[in-house]
Amino acid sequence: MDAQLEQQLSSIIRKVQSYHPDPDLAMLRKAFDLAHAMHKDQHRRSGEAYLTHPLSVAEIIAELKLDIPCLCAGILHDIVEDTDTSVEQIREMFNAEIAFIVDGVTKLSKFAFNTREEHQAESFRKMLIAMSSDLRVILVKLADRLHNMRTLLHMPQEKQRYIAQETLDIYAPLAHRLGIYWIKSELEDLAFRHLYPEDYYQLADQVAKKKNERERYIQEAISILEGKLVEHDIRASVTGRPKHFFSIWRKMRNNNIPFEQVFDVLAFRVLTGNLTQCYEILGLVHFLWKPVPGRFKDYVAMPKPNGYQSLHTSVIGPYHERVEIQIRTVEMHKIAEEGVAAHWQYKEGRVAPASEARHIAWLRELVEWQQELEDPKEFMDTVKVDLFPEEVYALTPNGDIKVLRKNSTPIDFAYAVHTEVGHHCVGARVNGSIVSLKHQVSNGDTIEIMTSPHAHPSKDWLKFVKTSRARNKIRHYIRSEERERSRTYGLELLDKEFKRYKINMRKVTKSGELLRAAQATRCQSVDELLINIGFGRIQPDTIIRRLAPGVEPRAEGEGVVEKVKRVISRKKPGIAIDGIDDIMVHYSRCCSPVRGDLIVGFITPGRGLSVHTSDCPQIDHLDAERRLDVHWNDEDKSATRPVTVRVNCTDKPGLLAGISQCFTTCSVNIAEAHCRTSKDGRAVNTFEVLISDVAQLNNAMSAIRRIDGVTSVERVRS
């Protein structure tokens, strides 16, 4: 086994020597010796020595032609997580550079997290922050993930699917964003194989059957194009290849078409010597074969944020087959294949000069935008949005280019210009014409944002903005505004209650008594206390009992607390909230939750707790900081809640009576009914019924479905 490990190390050394004139092989050997000693008794699920994995990761790093510190970090990347070695020890034995990369890659496995989602989010957040300082962190992580995906068959099936989905959601888009397309393509195909094995092997079989035919077609098309280039005295190389499996399958699924109808499964690449010839070749290609309208993209004039440059066009090639052709210079091709990694390769003893930092400016912005997101699900969702590969390019009136996500709006553009421009946006002109704020931006649009100092973000904007920057800035503004409103409202409530008990607010504030009372309720400051009172998390009488125990209020009629308690006692909420008592509760009309539904709660300023079903689409637009874990309690099980049920059926006599009888049999009271018929003999009946729990609702709906003439029954959510 040691002989095999030595062979792997020798392979790495040969690769390094092929691109590095004077590598520090002693340091590489030192990293190998330490990893060998620490991983000596560890094995992979395949039965191989564990060290085969870190060495395989280092081989992938060598394929990227990266420097010695990066290679050492690849060999040592699991040593902190899986052995007793600390980051500090690596720093002492090697240097701060290697220790930083290893620390950035190391998962947060030694900390306790409530959920796997929280663990994933915090590990990825840690890695993002580290890679924004040194991109080699993510290059090592991508190499690690690629080798893990290559050997995923040895993992339990459930874990295979989880890792494959995470790869498809995060790591493949990240490789795409960094411009390392060969890693991106391989990660996608490997994830595809584990997530959809039947589709994968069926597609592989279909592609294999046409292999000879495809190769003949590629050679014929290359011959035609090369002949045209020679005719015009242009020196260039032409290659052709089929697109990777996942790309073909995604097109089949998105367009709902079989493999035989996926026409542009072939891609040709033309490499030439200079920029001028790229456009000359494009003209020849369009003269030779008819271009497909709307399929030309000029990434030379408008490069992608990661530095990718190329001309893309789709044409109707020989035998009326649609093919994609990419035209670029040799230097552009190097960046296209190796992406940002090309800027971290060995170059006369230097790495990543400051002038090349523009290629990862988007990464630093991503880290900055995610700082305020505490909810793990919200964090991961916005990261996935930011890694989304499809982009549009829009211009300011001065000609500055802003890169946005596909289907972005003028509001997204406004926030891309500046946060304050977004906050005060009231309208937009696109190419000189006033458009709606929901207007979808297209490539090449010139956008002028109209602002007003009195304007401010609307919560409705969250329903249609696309970029995480805009979404996070809007949420942050709304959260700040709600906190300020809650503070004002909380101050008003507490002041009224203090007056009833003849407590001098200024005096208890100045003496520090109010702060101590706040801290006793786990608030760090008086402001935080007031905000919690305004949100309804803390009732004012809780503070009164701490400041003036046993003191009776003035008899001035019913006070605020009594009013709240009267409301609560009149209408039992049936909701239990962990750690909070006597909070006002209202059920959201958008989803009308009933007992038995999975539910979540959100604190609403001045209204207490709003209860939603856990699958309510509206909760995506609510502030995650105001979310509370809630559940149905055992009190007041007889209480009913209104639910809307829609029944689609044929229009025939007696059917409505049958539906009504089903509700009656299931002890469901109909509060309201609307019936509508159409000329084609169909009827739509909408009922508002009073339901005690989900089981009762399901029984009633099942009974109605069995009626002859009923085509569908559904619970309606607004």
Side-chain angles (χ1 to χ4, degrees):
M1 185 60 72
D2 281 0
Q4 179 187 338
L5 298 176
E6 287 287 351
Q7 285 178 356
Q8 272 192 281
L9 179 62
S10 297
S11 173
I12 294 168
I13 290 172
R14 284 194 299 273
K15 287 180 180 178
V16 175
Q17 289 175 326
S18 70
Y19 64 83
H20 197 308
D22 186 26
D24 188 348
L25 299 181
M27 182 176 286
L28 203 60
R29 165 60 72 172
K30 185 178 178 181
F32 172 81
D33 290 342
L34 176 61
H36 185 271
M38 301 311 297
H39 291 302
K40 189 171 186 179
D41 298 324
Q42 297 175 351
H43 292 82
R44 306 196 83 205
R45 287 180 182 269
S46 62
E48 294 178 298
Y50 189 85
L51 188 54
T52 59
H53 166 63
L55 290 175
S56 297
V57 170
E59 284 196 78
I60 295 170
I61 292 170
E63 288 174 31
L64 289 169
K65 301 181 176 65
L66 299 178
D67 57 21
I68 293 297
C70 200
L71 285 160
C72 291
I75 294 172
L76 300 171
H77 78 274
D78 275 336
I79 202 168
V80 173
E81 185 176 337
D82 295 338
T83 77
D84 293 331
T85 311
S86 67
V87 173
E88 187 57 41
Q89 286 174 308
I90 294 175
R91 185 179 291 107
E92 290 173 0
M93 294 178 67
F94 294 90
N95 55 47
E97 191 178 7
I98 293 173
F100 181 85
I101 299 172
V102 171
D103 186 42
V105 176
T106 301
K107 292 193 288 255
L108 306 178
S109 57
K110 298 184 179 180
F111 294 87
F113 294 99
N114 296 324
T115 65
R116 181 163 68 176
E117 188 176 58
E118 184 180 344
H119 180 236
Q120 179 199 45
E122 291 310 310
S123 294
F124 197 72
R125 192 196 303 265
K126 175 175 183 274
M127 188 173 66
L128 273 179
I129 293 169
M131 70 189 248
S132 67
S133 298
D134 190 333
L135 201 69
R136 289 174 295 181
V137 170
I138 194 59
L139 298 178
V140 173
K141 184 60 185 177
L142 284 175
D144 174 42
R145 179 52 59 111
L146 180 56
H147 185 251
N148 279 331
M149 288 298 295
R150 287 173 176 174
T151 56
L152 197 57
L153 283 170
H154 301 290
M155 299 294 288
Q157 193 166 20
E158 182 185 350
K159 199 157 188 179
Q160 285 182 26
R161 293 187 61 82
Y162 172 77
I163 294 172
Q165 189 63 59
E166 183 184 58
T167 299
L168 206 55
D169 287 344
I170 296 172
Y171 291 98
L174 189 53
H176 177 102
R177 202 75 161 82
L178 295 169
I180 313 173
Y181 288 104
W182 69 272
I183 289 184
K184 174 245 186 190
S185 299
E186 188 173 349
L187 286 176
E188 286 181 338
D189 280 353
L190 289 168
F192 173 33
R193 188 173 74 183
H194 290 285
L195 288 171
Y196 307 97
E198 290 184 10
D199 290 355
Y200 176 88
Y201 288 110
Q202 183 180 2
L203 180 59
D205 185 54
Q206 289 172 315
V207 171
K209 284 178 181 177
K210 291 196 170 186
K211 182 180 179 183
N212 292 335
E213 177 187 334
R214 189 175 62 247
E215 287 179 349
R216 283 196 301 270
Y217 183 92
I218 288 172
Q219 289 306 315
E220 185 172 345
I222 289 175
S223 179
I224 293 171
L225 184 52
E226 283 181 336
K228 184 62 68 173
L229 293 173
V230 169
E231 184 182 325
H232 287 78
D233 198 26
I234 296 175
R235 294 183 61 184
S237 65
V238 185
T239 57
R241 58 173 177 79
K243 293 185 176 179
H244 64 292
F245 288 171
F246 180 75
S247 174
I248 298 171
W249 176 79
R250 183 168 50 194
K251 183 161 290 190
M252 290 168 58
R253 188 179 64 169
N254 291 346
N255 298 330
N256 195 26
I257 56 176
F259 174 73
E260 290 72 23
Q261 293 180 24
V262 181
F263 300 115
D264 53 345
V265 297
L266 297 178
F268 292 85
R269 184 171 296 140
V270 185
L271 301 185
T272 187
N274 60 64
L275 180 61
T276 304
Q277 287 184 338
C278 288
Y279 289 97
E280 286 184 51
I281 294 168
L282 176 68
L284 288 175
V285 168
H286 285 177
F287 177 78
L288 188 61
W289 295 310
K290 187 177 181 180
V292 178
R295 296 292 298 169
F296 169 63
K297 294 180 181 178
D298 188 343
Y299 294 119
V300 173
M302 301 177 74
K304 291 188 176 185
N306 57 23
Y308 178 90
Q309 289 184 288
S310 186
L311 299 177
H312 289 196
T313 186
S314 289
V315 297
I316 308 299
Y319 308 106
H320 304 287
E321 291 281 347
R322 189 192 306 210
V323 295
E324 182 183 80
I325 298 178
Q326 301 170 356
I327 306 165
R328 59 182 72 139
T329 66
V330 174
E331 184 60 31
M332 289 176 192
H333 181 63
K334 178 180 172 64
I335 299 297
E337 288 299 297
E338 298 167 351
V340 179
H343 301 284
W344 264 257
Q345 292 173 0
Y346 172 82
K347 296 179 183 178
E348 300 175 5
R350 62 185 181 90
V351 292
S355 60
E356 291 167 345
R358 62 185 178 86
H359 294 300
I360 57 165
W362 63 271
L363 174 60
R364 295 198 173 95
E365 288 181 350
L366 172 60
V367 173
E368 175 193 337
W369 300 341
Q370 309 310 324
Q371 292 298 320
E372 297 165 357
L373 298 180
E374 296 180 6
D375 180 70
K377 183 179 185 301
E378 187 179 351
F379 170 74
M380 292 310 295
D381 286 347
T382 55
V383 164
K384 291 171 189 176
V385 165
D386 256 42
L387 296 177
F388 198 83
E390 295 190 68
E391 297 153 338
V392 294
Y393 299 79
L395 294 89
T396 68
N398 294 330
D400 295 331
I401 298 172
K402 298 297 176 184
V403 184
L404 304 171
R405 184 188 169 187
K406 187 179 179 182
N407 299 329
S408 288
T409 66
I411 294 175
D412 294 291
F413 182 86
Y415 279 103
V417 173
H418 195 278
T419 300
E420 290 303 311
V421 175
H423 282 351
H424 299 294
C425 174
V426 293
R429 288 189 181 89
V430 175
N431 303 324
S433 300
I434 294 178
V435 298
S436 159
L437 291 178
K438 295 181 181 180
H439 172 85
Q440 291 187 356
V441 176
S442 300
N443 264 323
D445 281 347
T446 297
I447 303 175
E448 179 187 353
I449 300 297
M450 296 178 283
T451 61
S452 166
H454 307 295
H456 55 79
S458 164
K459 189 177 288 187
D460 289 339
W461 290 1
L462 293 171
K463 297 176 182 177
F464 54 82
V465 295
K466 298 298 180 184
T467 60
S468 61
R469 177 182 175 85
R471 186 175 301 279
N472 293 340
K473 294 296 182 183
I474 295 165
R475 280 179 174 159
H476 180 67
Y477 181 91
I478 291 170
R479 187 182 302 139
S480 299
E481 288 292 297
E482 286 184 345
R483 286 173 66 86
E484 183 55 34
R485 283 199 299 271
S486 296
R487 196 192 75 80
T488 302
Y489 186 69
L491 179 61
E492 180 184 336
L493 286 175
L494 194 60
D495 185 50
K496 286 182 179 178
E497 203 66 6
F498 276 9
K499 287 177 180 176
R500 292 183 62 241
Y501 283 86
K502 298 182 180 179
I503 298 174
N504 187 312
M505 177 173 279
R506 182 179 294 178
K507 183 178 178 181
V508 295
T509 302
K510 190 174 181 180
S511 66
E513 290 178 76
L514 186 56
L515 176 60
R516 287 190 288 275
Q519 291 170 339
T521 61
R522 290 184 291 186
C523 295
Q524 298 303 310
S525 65
V526 172
D527 273 354
E528 188 179 343
L529 171 66
L530 297 176
I531 289 167
N532 279 315
I533 291 173
F535 271 135
R537 297 184 183 121
I538 298 173
Q539 293 301 320
D541 62 352
T542 303
I543 304 303
I544 298 296
R545 288 195 297 270
R546 293 189 178 279
L547 292 175
V551 176
E552 293 296 322
R554 290 188 297 178
E556 294 181 354
E558 190 176 42
V560 175
V561 174
E562 281 65 33
K563 287 180 182 178
V564 171
K565 287 185 175 179
R566 177 166 54 81
V567 172
I568 293 173
S569 63
R570 186 173 68 239
K571 188 176 182 181
K572 295 285 186 183
I575 298 293
I577 305 111
D578 297 336
I580 300 178
D581 300 318
D582 291 340
I583 191 169
M584 293 182 288
V585 172
H586 74 275
Y587 299 87
S588 298
R589 296 284 295 175
C590 53
C591 54
S592 301
V594 296
R595 182 179 294 278
D597 281 328
L598 294 175
I599 53 175
V600 294
F602 286 84
I603 295 295
T604 307
R607 300 186 65 190
L609 185 78
S610 298
V611 180
H612 296 258
T613 59
S614 60
D615 59 352
C616 175
Q618 294 300 320
I619 66 177
D620 291 337
H621 307 301
L622 298 177
D623 184 358
E625 279 193 358
R626 297 193 282 112
R627 178 170 173 157
L628 287 177
D629 291 327
V630 299
H631 55 272
W632 301 98
N633 64 20
D634 295 329
E635 300 174 9
D636 201 21
K637 289 186 177 180
S638 61
T640 59
R641 297 286 312 147
V643 174
T644 302
V645 175
R646 183 186 296 128
V647 181
N648 295 299
C649 59
T650 55
D651 181 18
K652 66 178 185 179
L655 201 146
L656 187 59
I659 295 172
S660 178
Q661 182 59 43
C662 284
F663 280 128
T664 302
T665 303
C666 294
S667 302
V668 175
N669 184 39
I670 301 174
E672 197 173 314
H674 295 279
C675 304
R676 190 175 73 251
T677 60
S678 60
K679 293 180 181 179
D680 62 353
R682 314 299 299 172
V684 179
N685 307 296
T686 305
F687 302 91
E688 184 176 282
V689 293
L690 299 177
I691 298 294
S692 59
D693 59 35
V694 169
Q696 183 187 38
L697 175 63
N698 291 339
N699 289 338
M701 291 172 66
S702 296
I704 295 169
R705 287 191 185 99
R706 290 193 289 270
I707 298 174
D708 185 34
V710 171
T711 55
S712 67
V713 184
E714 59 183 334
R715 178 178 174 182
V716 179
R717 304 174 196 266
S718 59

